[in-house]
Amino acid sequence: DQQVKQNSPSLSVQEGRISILNCDYTNSMFDYFLWYKKYPAEGPTFLISISSIKDKNEDGRFTVFLNKSAKHLSLHIVPSQPGDSAVYFCAAYTPNTGNQFYFGTGTSLTVIP
Amino acid sequence: NAGVTQTPKFQVLKTGQSMTLQCAQDMNHNSMYWYRQDPGMGLRLIYYSASEGTTDKGEVPNGYNVSRLNKREFSLRLESAAPSQTSVYFCASSEMLGTEAFFGQGTRLTVV
């Protein structure tokens, strides 16, 4: 039973435009969310996080939005660059469910020059 | 600054063979993890170690054992490999449970 879902397996965006990656979750007890970026043949690398007490967190070109009532978070990348082409995973955590992060299935982003 | 180092990077096993995946981190992190990544499944937690001397099952522990050898090292053992264990395995570490993890480069394991 997938508790964290990324319903778009892939996304293509023109360089310079905004990329919006979406993530939905089912467990209302999740209170900490992360985004990871993964290049082929490498491990995931941490990108940005958000706590459930916030609805927005910004780090340079990356902004994560959290809508707790909809159990939805999104990652905005502005402006998108070709080097952003990678697979993006969202992950959610609560200490109340096995002390683990639950990962989505990933969205493959391609930024077209 | 190596971060998290996994060995080997690639491995082919025959059904029934055993092997140990090694992982070491140099960030003085307390918590360590083993994940597997399968197509369409995201990353799933196999086992984790909250701190030196402790290990706990994750979401998919069957067929695996782990050892937290010391604060730096966390190994994953397949006692009798099965084709269903064909996957990419990632080791990760974090300062403590519930904080962002740093991942190794992965081990691509094929069981034939």
Side-chain angles (χ1 to χ4, degrees), chain A residues 1-2 32 34 36 38 41-46 49 89 93 98-106, chain B residues 33 35 37 40-45 48 57-59 90 97-106:
Chain A
D1 186 23
Q2 195 78 20
Y32 188 53
L34 306 178
Y36 284 89
K38 185 183 179 305
E42 294 185 10
T45 55
F46 168 71
S49 64
F89 292 96
Y93 176 82
N99 267 320
Q100 63 174 301
F101 278 96
Y102 289 89
F103 282 79
T105 51
Chain B
Y33 315 83
Y35 288 90
Q37 184 191 9
M41 298 292 288
L43 287 147
R44 292 183 294 167
L45 184 64
Y48 68 97
K57 295 178 181 179
E59 193 179 350
F90 290 101
L97 290 180
T99 59
E100 56 267 22
F102 293 78
F103 284 80
Q105 287 197 307

Side-chain angles (χ1 to χ4, degrees), chain B residues 86-105:
Chain B
T86 294
S87 188
V88 180
Y89 291 85
F90 290 101
C91 177
S93 70
S94 66
E95 197 172 324
M96 64 183 72
L97 290 180
T99 59
E100 56 267 22
F102 293 78
F103 284 80
Q105 287 197 307

Side-chain angles (χ1 to χ4, degrees), chain A residues 8-38:
Chain A
S8 298
S10 62
L11 175 69
S12 290
V13 171
Q14 291 286 338
E15 181 178 3
R17 304 295 290 268
I18 184 171
S19 296
I20 300 176
L21 295 95
N22 294 304
C23 180
D24 297 294
Y25 60 95
T26 57
N27 189 341
S28 59
M29 298 184 78
F30 287 140
D31 57 9
Y32 188 53
F33 303 88
L34 306 178
W35 283 93
Y36 284 89
K37 176 179 180 179
K38 185 183 179 305

Side-chain angles (χ1 to χ4, degrees), chain B residues 56-67:
Chain B
D56 282 287
K57 295 178 181 179
E59 193 179 350
V60 288
N62 291 344
Y64 305 95
N65 286 300
V66 291
S67 296

Side-chain angles (χ1 to χ4, degrees), chain B residues 11 29 48:
Chain B
Q11 184 71 48
H29 284 166
Y48 68 97

